[in-house]
Amino acid sequence: SFFPRHPPFLAPPFLLPPPPPSLHRANNKPPVLRVKGLVKANKLRSVTVKDESPSSTCLSIWKRLARKKMTTGSTLSEWIKLLHKDARSSPMCNINIILKFACEISMALAEIHSAGVTHNNLTPSKIIVDRVDDSDSILVKVIGLGSASLLPDNSQTFSSIRRDLSSLGSVLFEMFSGRCPYKKDHDSNLSGREENQRETLLSQNQLISFLTARVPLRLAKSILNLMEVEGLKPCYQSARDVHRELNEVLHNLDSIMSNSDAQAALGSLNFPRGKLYGHDSHLLKIIDACSRVGTPGGSKITLVSGYSGVGKSSVVESAKEKLKEKNIRFISGKFDPLQQARPLTAINAALNEYTNSIIQQGPQISLEVKESIINAINVDVGVLTTVFPCLCKIVGKPTCNPTELGSIAAQNRFKFIFQLFVRAITTLFCPIILFLDDLHWADKLSLQLISALVTDMETNNFLFIGSYRDNEIGTSHPLTACLDELKRREITITDISISCISKVNVN
């Protein structure tokens, strides 16, 4: 029998089938499968680089193997390393050569399965490539059947060979990319037990990036499918299916390589729209703060801080998307360093968004909001419409001008009327969340209005969210003074600090 005396599955000797003719053990050597199909010289010559002698790529590898005294047979691992180090060979030449080897290896695995056996430990170190009698023909041998087991004669056959197919995909990945697809090199000198353990694959983005940089899209998809990369369902039922696919790619390689548009799309970075990476905890904090608007003990102000580009605005916008189903009105504005001379630009943008959303809900809602504002502010509505003309869309143009006051008195009146306005438009059934981005560029009057809103004990059902770059404000910055004043008045502030995402989340 080609199995060890005590096989891993503990089948008694009298139950073992007679050894298949293609498998043999001689002189205590490891089991070997000799593949019937050889890579003939004429096939190799057809893929050599121009202006070089026939089979130059393969011959150069054999010469280097000879210097290492490995001409009697070398592992596929060694062959892969030398092939990818050969700077003289073109990518097209390498794909041709590797495809021919891949076809032979997949057929070798198919013959093992036809013999009623699964390999269970197929790696590049378990495949031997050997030159035949100093010719250009190559013999492929699959060894290392010490972990092999018998295939069941029932519906579990596919699940039994599934691991072999996945291992074949990993071998093909390493052949074409020159990289190990696992986070830990499973071909290193490991003990028998450790070698049989399945390692963790690299991230999906890494696998796609490494593979599509070397092979056409169709071949990359086939290999990733074999490896059962996340999101892909296995579509191959046997090693013969894989062999047919590889053979078809080999014979149509020229036309496949010419179709590069889809290849470029897959090879480029592609991040799903709206998906956050590494900010789940920050998103939950913001959603929790928004969900507690108007409840006893709920904070009226949430601040999101961090360096430029770390995702502060994206986290808040993601929270906004998740709150769409709830009856919460979310309005936003953004401060601009080029408009610091014009105060209240961000708040004006947020109110413009508010008025447009009210008008879109129809005349009945617009009338109800108008009545609430007029009842709260009465004749002083002109104080607001003078600064925020967008409110005229709801309340109309005021019939009389506001009474003229001194600068300080006028500012105090404006802040008080703005408080009345926010009280009027926020209700238990429709709370308002005001998000202002880039507070580090906010003008002093905007900061005063924000402070007036979050300190107003009669303003309920309201939450202010602000984002700023904490590395761009110092002790003398207006925002620092505003926050210090709020802390002195014991206003509860929900602080969310966002840093760069970790390497784990990137991959």
Side-chain angles (χ1 to χ4, degrees), residues 184-247:
K184 179 180 178 183
D185 189 349
H186 63 291
D187 273 342
S188 57
N189 294 326
L190 301 173
S191 66
R193 180 180 178 183
E194 292 172 332
E195 192 175 18
N196 288 331
Q197 291 178 347
R198 291 178 62 81
E199 305 292 347
T200 304
L201 286 172
L202 297 173
S203 71
Q204 186 180 31
N205 285 341
Q206 288 176 310
L207 293 173
I208 292 175
S209 175
F210 292 151
L211 198 55
T212 54
R214 297 273 188 168
V215 301
L217 177 60
R218 175 176 171 179
L219 185 56
K221 286 183 175 179
S222 298
I223 296 172
L224 294 174
N225 192 290
L226 263 180
M227 297 170 67
E228 298 185 17
V229 173
E230 182 181 358
L232 296 177
K233 295 182 179 179
C235 65
Y236 298 104
Q237 299 296 315
S238 68
R240 291 189 185 275
D241 291 343
V242 179
H243 173 75
R244 280 191 290 269
E245 175 70 15
L246 293 174
N247 207 41

Side-chain angles (χ1 to χ4, degrees), residues 156-447:
Q156 300 298 318
T157 301
F158 173 68
S159 61
S160 298
I161 68 172
R162 187 171 175 177
R163 178 175 178 177
D164 275 1
L165 295 180
S166 177
S167 298
L168 176 61
S170 299
V171 170
L172 296 181
F173 179 95
E174 194 160 345
M175 289 173 66
F176 285 101
S177 70
R179 294 173 177 267
C180 178
Y182 299 99
K183 292 183 179 179
K184 179 180 178 183
D185 189 349
H186 63 291
D187 273 342
S188 57
N189 294 326
L190 301 173
S191 66
R193 180 180 178 183
E194 292 172 332
E195 192 175 18
N196 288 331
Q197 291 178 347
R198 291 178 62 81
E199 305 292 347
T200 304
L201 286 172
L202 297 173
S203 71
Q204 186 180 31
N205 285 341
Q206 288 176 310
L207 293 173
I208 292 175
S209 175
F210 292 151
L211 198 55
T212 54
R214 297 273 188 168
V215 301
L217 177 60
R218 175 176 171 179
L219 185 56
K221 286 183 175 179
S222 298
I223 296 172
L224 294 174
N225 192 290
L226 263 180
M227 297 170 67
E228 298 185 17
V229 173
E230 182 181 358
L232 296 177
K233 295 182 179 179
C235 65
Y236 298 104
Q237 299 296 315
S238 68
R240 291 189 185 275
D241 291 343
V242 179
H243 173 75
R244 280 191 290 269
E245 175 70 15
L246 293 174
N247 207 41
E248 186 176 345
V249 171
L250 178 61
H251 285 90
N252 298 283
L253 188 59
D254 290 336
S255 61
I256 292 173
M257 292 290 286
S258 64
N259 184 16
S260 59
D261 293 340
Q263 182 83 5
L266 184 64
S268 60
L269 284 174
N270 182 22
F271 296 101
R273 189 176 182 85
K275 181 175 176 60
L276 290 177
Y277 295 88
H279 294 315
D280 292 343
S281 60
H282 307 130
L283 180 61
L284 289 175
K285 286 182 181 179
I286 294 177
I287 293 178
D288 179 65
C290 294
S291 301
R292 293 167 59 192
V293 174
T295 60
S299 173
K300 287 186 179 180
I301 176 170
T302 297
L303 296 177
V304 184
S305 61
Y307 282 23
S308 173
V310 296
K312 303 183 295 295
S313 305
S314 298
V315 173
V316 178
E317 289 297 328
S318 182
K320 177 181 178 180
E321 287 296 318
K322 292 185 178 297
L323 293 170
K324 270 187 174 181
E325 301 300 323
K326 296 189 176 182
N327 198 22
I328 296 177
R329 201 175 300 279
F330 203 113
I331 58 177
S332 59
K334 183 181 179 70
F335 291 102
D336 191 326
L338 300 179
Q339 295 185 348
Q340 284 182 303
R342 298 174 58 191
L344 305 173
T345 54
I347 296 178
N348 184 61
L351 291 180
N352 189 55
E353 181 182 343
Y354 170 76
T355 55
N356 289 337
S357 66
I358 293 298
I359 292 171
Q360 289 175 358
Q361 288 184 293
Q364 182 62 34
I365 299 297
S366 298
L367 181 60
E368 291 176 3
V369 173
K370 177 182 179 179
E371 290 176 351
S372 297
I373 295 173
I374 296 299
N375 290 337
I377 303 175
N378 204 350
V379 294
D380 288 328
V381 70
V383 174
L384 285 182
T385 56
T386 302
V387 181
F388 304 120
C390 60
L391 294 178
C392 292
K393 299 176 185 177
I394 297 177
V395 299
K397 292 184 179 181
T399 55
C400 58
N401 294 324
T403 305
E404 293 188 5
L405 299 174
S407 59
I408 296 179
Q411 281 194 18
N412 290 334
R413 179 182 65 180
F414 175 71
K415 287 187 286 186
F416 176 68
I417 290 178
F418 191 74
Q419 287 177 326
L420 295 177
F421 166 73
V422 175
R423 292 177 194 173
I425 63 174
T426 56
T427 64
L428 179 63
F429 302 103
C430 190
I432 287 181
I433 297 174
L434 171 62
F435 169 51
L436 297 181
D437 199 2
D438 291 336
L439 284 177
H440 49 278
W441 287 325
D443 57 275
K444 288 186 178 180
L445 184 54
S446 294
L447 293 176

Side-chain angles (χ1 to χ4, degrees), residues 29-102:
K29 292 182 179 180
V32 172
L33 176 75
R34 298 190 180 277
V35 183
K36 297 177 181 178
L38 301 180
V39 183
K40 300 297 183 183
N42 59 346
K43 291 186 180 179
L44 288 175
R45 288 193 187 102
S46 66
V47 293
T48 54
V49 183
K50 291 182 180 180
D51 301 325
E52 291 189 8
S53 61
S55 306
S56 58
T57 300
C58 288
L59 289 175
S60 65
I61 294 176
W62 281 119
K63 289 177 181 178
R64 278 178 280 175
L65 290 173
R67 288 196 291 269
K68 296 184 179 184
K69 298 181 180 179
M70 298 177 63
T71 53
T72 56
S74 62
T75 64
L76 184 64
S77 300
E78 187 70 18
W79 179 273
I80 291 170
K81 291 175 184 177
L82 293 178
L83 182 64
H84 285 279
K85 284 182 180 179
D86 193 347
R88 297 181 304 166
S89 60
S90 67
M92 185 70 172
C93 175
N94 278 355
I95 292 177
N96 250 300
I97 295 171
I98 298 171
L99 267 173
K100 291 177 181 179
F101 274 96

Side-chain angles (χ1 to χ4, degrees), residues 118-183:
T118 55
H119 191 287
N120 295 329
N121 193 22
L122 186 66
T123 66
S125 64
K126 300 297 187 296
I127 300 170
I128 301 296
V129 291
D130 197 2
R131 193 176 180 185
V132 180
D133 300 328
D134 294 329
S135 68
D136 292 339
S137 298
I138 308 298
L139 180 67
V140 178
K141 307 175 186 177
V142 177
I143 65 172
L145 287 168
S147 302
S149 59
L150 293 175
L151 275 172
D153 294 329
N154 52 36
S155 59
Q156 300 298 318
T157 301
F158 173 68
S159 61
S160 298
I161 68 172
R162 187 171 175 177
R163 178 175 178 177
D164 275 1
L165 295 180
S166 177
S167 298
L168 176 61
S170 299
V171 170
L172 296 181
F173 179 95
E174 194 160 345
M175 289 173 66
F176 285 101
S177 70
R179 294 173 177 267
C180 178
Y182 299 99
K183 292 183 179 179

